[in-house]
Amino acid sequence: MDDIAQGVLDGVVAAGARAIRWLDDRDPRGADLVRGIFPATGRAQIVGVTGPPGAGKSTLTDMLVTELRGRSLRVGVIAVDPSSPFTGGAILGDRVRMARHALDPGVFIRSLGTRGQAGGLSRSTHDACLVLDAMGYDIVIVETVGVGQDEIDIVNLAHTTIIVGVPGLGDEVQAVKAGLMEAGEIFVINKADRDGYQATQRQYELMLHLREQAAVARDAGWSTPLLRAVATSGEGGKEIADAIFAHRAALEARDGFARRSGLREREQTLGILRERLAARTLCAKGQAVLADVEARRIDPYTAAGTLLALIDGKDGLA
């Protein structure tokens, strides 16, 4: 355990890979390892890349890695893939698309399966980010699975969220409205060489204007840029990277970087607490309560109170 933790702090790739494996498998050694490396975290900028399926998120992430490496930065990538229905692991499609960086010692790429987790992330994405942060990577890019309007867990994880859209989806704004519209700090229209780019650009500009007027963005001190990209040819990489650094500078000017890091750890703590409390209710008595709900002998509110009472060690209702 101590050797793996020290290896993570020393930036040893094999140690980082094993640490992420423990955490993804819910191995008890993973929690012990986090205790050892946590004081060394909080430095890396977490950048989320999200958007509807087919927007080219993986190709854009690959382009970003190339641009950031050109600036001598160490880059970690967590690519969240749909889980295999047979093994429960990641299908690895995203990692295959970034294969050209596989031999670069300044890049660490890891695919994680969603394992049924909603919200576009894997259950262990936060932990993997902590490992890469402790390993000394300057930027950790988290690419989500293709998400819908309300699947935006990445917002609670990332310092900077990039929303990727693409022409040709019909109602382009439909794909990024509601929660995503409020979340993104950087908007990118990828595949901008396609027909319909101008119409898509106008729709996004209108959407961002309405967002500004409604003051719904989570970072009121930041003017959200709308950028053009053709990731397959490398177009737009410089501008996106510049926007990422500009957003970090804007956050740090108002102590927002540390605040978002703290909120991320707070959300993770609450998530672990919810998971452990739920596990504690799955004892024999808890299963009996759930069976009563299924049989409609008691209602869900009464059942929840009974389960809370079981956690508290009481026999009556909470």
Side-chain angles (χ1 to χ4, degrees):
M1 168 60 65
D2 292 340
D3 289 343
I4 296 299
Q6 188 58 52
V8 168
L9 296 174
D10 291 340
V12 178
V13 171
R18 178 168 293 188
I20 293 174
R21 175 65 180 272
W22 285 349
L23 290 160
D24 196 38
D25 290 344
R26 290 297 191 263
D27 189 309
R29 291 175 292 184
D32 290 336
L33 181 136
V34 169
R35 295 186 187 101
I37 67 172
F38 190 76
T41 63
R43 297 170 294 185
Q45 182 177 5
I46 311 300
V47 177
V49 178
T50 190
K57 296 184 295 295
S58 297
T59 308
L60 188 136
T61 298
D62 180 73
M63 176 183 70
L64 267 179
V65 171
T66 300
E67 176 66 27
L68 294 170
R69 287 297 294 142
R71 303 185 188 203
S72 301
L73 296 171
R74 299 183 68 212
V75 184
V77 178
I78 303 298
V80 183
D81 280 318
S83 291
S84 164
F86 304 105
T87 66
I91 298 174
L92 305 183
D94 290 335
R95 198 149 103 193
V96 169
R97 296 186 186 97
M98 291 177 253
R100 63 173 169 158
H101 301 293
L103 299 180
D104 186 341
V107 179
F108 185 111
I109 301 173
R110 176 62 187 258
S111 290
L112 295 175
T114 54
R115 300 198 182 192
Q117 181 80 18
L121 299 181
S122 164
R123 67 184 186 185
S124 57
T125 306
H126 171 276
D127 296 330
C129 288
L130 282 181
V131 171
L132 295 181
D133 190 355
M135 290 177 71
Y137 289 93
D138 301 294
I139 291 183
V140 178
I141 301 174
V142 178
E143 181 204 335
T144 75
V145 298
V147 299
Q149 294 177 19
D150 58 348
E151 295 173 326
I152 50 171
D153 286 353
I154 188 63
V155 175
N156 292 326
L157 176 70
H159 296 100
T160 305
T161 302
I162 301 174
I163 309 296
V164 185
V166 62
L169 293 180
D171 181 4
E172 284 81 2
V173 176
Q174 180 69 21
V176 293
K177 67 180 184 180
L180 280 182
M181 185 189 80
E182 301 172 13
E185 281 81 35
I186 301 170
F187 278 72
V188 176
I189 304 176
N190 191 25
K191 305 182 184 180
D193 54 346
R194 283 186 175 184
D195 292 339
Y197 167 75
Q198 295 295 336
T200 301
Q201 182 187 37
R202 287 193 295 271
Q203 290 194 35
Y204 274 60
E205 287 174 345
L206 174 60
M207 178 194 68
L208 290 173
H209 174 72
L210 293 174
R211 181 175 94 160
E212 182 179 347
Q213 294 299 311
V216 295
R218 66 168 178 161
D219 191 351
W222 170 251
S223 180
T224 303
L226 175 61
L227 305 176
R228 167 193 170 99
V230 183
T232 53
S233 64
E235 179 184 340
K238 177 184 182 302
E239 292 75 12
I240 299 172
D242 288 345
I244 289 171
F245 298 130
H247 185 246
R248 175 165 186 161
L251 286 175
E252 291 178 336
R254 300 183 306 279
D255 198 31
F257 188 86
R259 185 169 62 252
R260 287 198 183 181
S261 297
L263 289 174
R264 178 174 67 245
E265 308 313 332
R266 181 180 185 276
E267 287 299 317
Q268 176 68 356
T269 301
L270 292 175
I272 294 170
L273 179 62
R274 285 190 290 267
E275 185 178 284
R276 292 185 178 181
L277 288 175
R280 287 184 61 181
T281 66
L282 298 181
C283 59
K285 290 183 178 180
Q287 294 287 3
V289 173
L290 295 176
D292 285 340
V293 175
E294 292 177 11
R296 310 189 79 82
R297 288 189 288 269
I298 60 174
D299 65 272
Y301 286 95
T302 301
T306 303
L307 293 172
L308 284 174
L310 289 173
I311 294 174
D312 290 338
K314 303 174 183 178
D315 293 331
L317 297 180

